[in-house]
Amino acid sequence: MEMLTFFLILYGAYVATKLVLAVLQMRFIRAERQKPAQILGQGQWEKAADYAIAKERMGVYAAGVETALFVFWAFWGFGWLDATLAIESAMFKAIVFVNLFLFINYLIELPLSIYERFGIDARFGFNRATPGLFARDQLKTLALVAIFGSLVIAALAWFVGSFASWWLIAFVFLMVVIVLINMLFPTIRALMFDKFVPIDQTEIGQEIGSLMARTGFKASGVFSVDASKRDARLNAYFGGLGRTKRVVLYDTLIEKLSKEELLAVLGHELGHFKHKDILKNMAVMAGMLFAFLALFGNLGEGFFAALGVESSAHILIALFLLLSGPLFFFLMPIFNAISRHNEFAADRFGGDLVSREALKNALIKLVQENVKFPKNHPLYGLFYETHPGVLTRIERLEAERA
Ligand SMILES: [Zn+2]
């Protein structure tokens, strides 16, 4: 089969699957909304259902915009932008071309992001960001992408122009970039977006410290982050790699969970570390990236002719950005099945380390505070659930109790 035909069919299947899943999910939640509430109070149950439906509807609009952009780029946009930019240097052309490609997509999708934040999230009481903060965040992100993105584009353009097997070199290079981003992530967040306050010396910080010592985990500190200035919802994460590794608790989480519940959540996260889930995820990602790059590294001349352009670095990079999403989409069920398996294992670890009861209560509180609808249509779950449904997780925690 012609490669271009393959990509068109792939994209069609991607959009169709997304729409079918959205419709199934909306119908499922509308039906569940009528049933007696679980975990949540009846009012919260209905609110959570309404929120989930509103987000799904917004996802349908987003899929429409995405498809329009795809059609634009594939049938017209690449040729147009290619002809418009009269730049001699292949590297410089790649930088300008790909940045413009990203910026045009960003501008077209911006009204949807604004609607999501200040329309839906605000209506349900989640949004706490002012338009000023939102605008500053957007500008900073754009600046970061433009600066670091351009460096990556320049390197990729050089590989494409200099080596026949550029995709192999690009693979090694991108893996290094991914590791660097993971290492620098907490530092960049601290410098540009968030205020991290060390809580090592507080009572809860001390307890977290001794919990980590017990599991042999080394981090550069425990921090509270002022997430409440953007969003009312709760969360926690381990960020960084190697020496930049740190435990980050949202201020909203510290406020709402009891000490034992917080420790249980931490215990779950430590489970991910004990099981080396982050490394395993990176290995799976590496495999996928390798396969995608091999595909893009072996497109024939005819493919580019059909697009109305010549084979070149800037087209290759933009195509990769345009098509890696749809390619990844069909691998999501595999990726998420692994992730759900890891979540159960981390629950077991955290429950045994701290207390199954506390972890169960923490999971319930997270659903209540985040007004998250606790059920999904099975097919929707197959594609999108990175974590098992909270009802199943609680069931397991109770069943496995010794
Ligand atoms: Zn987890």
Side-chain angles (χ1 to χ4, degrees):
M1 183 176 23
E2 190 69 52
M3 208 32 131
L4 187 60
T5 320
F6 167 73
F7 281 135
L8 290 177
I9 292 171
L10 172 85
Y11 203 89
Y14 162 69
V15 175
T17 311
K18 264 178 116 171
L19 290 180
V20 168
L21 291 175
V23 170
L24 285 176
Q25 173 77 344
M26 283 193 276
R27 277 172 43 186
F28 173 81
I29 291 190
R30 231 173 259 130
E32 286 289 323
R33 191 184 184 281
Q34 311 299 325
K35 296 182 183 168
Q38 286 170 280
I39 301 183
L40 302 163
Q42 194 64 40
Q44 292 289 78
W45 174 264
E46 286 168 14
K47 185 183 169 189
D50 292 341
Y51 181 68
I53 292 168
K55 289 286 264 202
E56 225 40 62
R57 191 172 301 133
M58 141 108 212
V60 172
Y61 303 149
V65 171
E66 207 193 326
T67 309
L69 277 167
F70 175 81
V71 170
F72 164 73
W73 288 116
F75 291 100
W76 192 66
F78 281 153
W80 160 75
L81 196 57
D82 186 55
T84 308
L85 297 174
I87 301 171
E88 276 299 312
S89 150
M91 190 187 282
F92 189 51
K93 181 157 185 175
I95 292 172
V96 178
F97 186 97
V98 177
N99 271 299
L100 276 175
F101 165 78
L102 289 173
F103 189 64
I104 290 169
N105 286 342
Y106 166 79
L107 276 187
I108 303 285
E109 284 168 351
L110 182 61
L112 276 173
S113 332
I114 294 174
Y115 172 66
E116 184 174 24
R117 202 96 271 263
F118 298 99
I120 301 175
D121 285 357
R123 177 150 46 91
F124 285 89
F126 295 132
N127 179 48
R128 293 223 184 128
T130 59
L133 176 63
F134 179 83
R136 278 198 300 281
D137 281 349
Q138 296 288 314
L139 288 175
K140 286 180 200 168
T141 309
L142 278 176
L144 274 176
V145 171
I147 295 166
F148 290 108
S150 296
L151 292 173
V152 174
I153 296 163
L156 291 176
W158 182 62
F159 301 149
V160 173
S162 314
F163 308 99
S165 297
W166 62 266
W167 62 273
L168 262 176
I169 299 160
F171 168 72
V172 176
F173 171 75
L174 287 174
M175 284 314 294
V176 173
V177 169
I178 290 169
V179 170
L180 271 179
I181 289 174
N182 273 293
M183 281 177 71
L184 292 175
F185 179 78
T187 317
I188 289 174
R189 293 264 0 156
L191 277 175
M192 296 190 63
F193 297 98
D194 298 327
K195 210 165 102 199
F196 288 101
V197 180
I199 55 165
D200 301 85
Q201 297 312 315
T202 64
E203 196 196 334
I204 185 69
Q206 297 275 342
E207 298 233 13
I208 291 171
S210 72
L211 189 68
M212 292 196 297
R214 257 165 66 202
T215 51
F217 177 78
K218 283 187 199 66
S220 67
V222 184
F223 295 83
S224 160
V225 64
D226 57 342
S228 57
K229 71 181 176 195
R230 293 196 180 84
D231 201 290
R233 285 169 284 196
L234 325 176
N235 213 341
Y237 64 88
F238 279 86
L241 265 182
R243 274 205 281 170
T244 65
K245 202 154 59 182
R246 55 170 75 179
V247 180
V248 181
L249 305 174
Y250 281 25
D251 52 357
T252 45
L253 187 81
I254 299 175
E255 195 187 308
K256 299 283 182 182
L257 292 193
S258 76
K259 197 180 75 186
E260 221 195 0
E261 288 161 358
L262 257 180
L263 289 176
V265 170
L266 254 306
H268 167 99
E269 297 294 338
L270 287 170
H272 285 309
F273 268 92
K274 263 287 168 215
H275 305 145
K276 304 220 180 335
D277 290 341
I278 290 136
L279 281 176
K280 284 185 209 160
N281 283 347
M282 280 180 106
V284 176
M285 292 286 245
M288 272 181 346
L289 185 65
F290 186 84
F292 289 3
L293 283 169
L295 180 65
F296 282 89
N298 294 292
L299 295 170
E301 275 305 320
F303 175 81
F304 295 94
L307 280 177
V309 291
E310 275 174 49
S311 162
S312 50
H314 57 280
I315 299 285
L316 272 167
I317 299 168
L319 259 182
F320 184 80
L321 290 168
L322 194 65
L323 290 167
S324 53
L327 278 169
F328 178 65
F329 180 79
F330 289 104
L331 296 173
M332 269 166 43
I334 305 168
F335 204 63
N336 286 338
I338 300 172
S339 170
R340 289 193 297 271
H341 172 84
N342 293 341
E343 291 303 328
F344 279 132
D347 276 353
R348 220 174 300 132
F349 183 89
D352 289 342
L353 187 69
V354 180
S355 132
R356 284 177 185 265
E357 195 62 27
L359 182 55
K360 194 185 105 184
N361 291 336
L363 288 174
I364 293 173
K365 262 196 199 167
L366 280 169
V367 168
Q368 288 172 341
E369 290 295 330
N370 294 350
V371 201
K372 185 164 168 20
F373 199 76
K375 287 174 147 185
N376 289 316
H377 187 280
L379 211 56
Y380 184 92
L382 188 75
F383 270 85
Y384 293 113
E385 274 180 1
T386 56
H387 290 60
V390 74
L391 296 169
T392 324
R393 289 174 77 180
I394 289 169
E395 244 168 55
R396 288 258 188 129
L397 279 170
E398 284 174 344
E400 285 165 0
R401 186 160 23 204

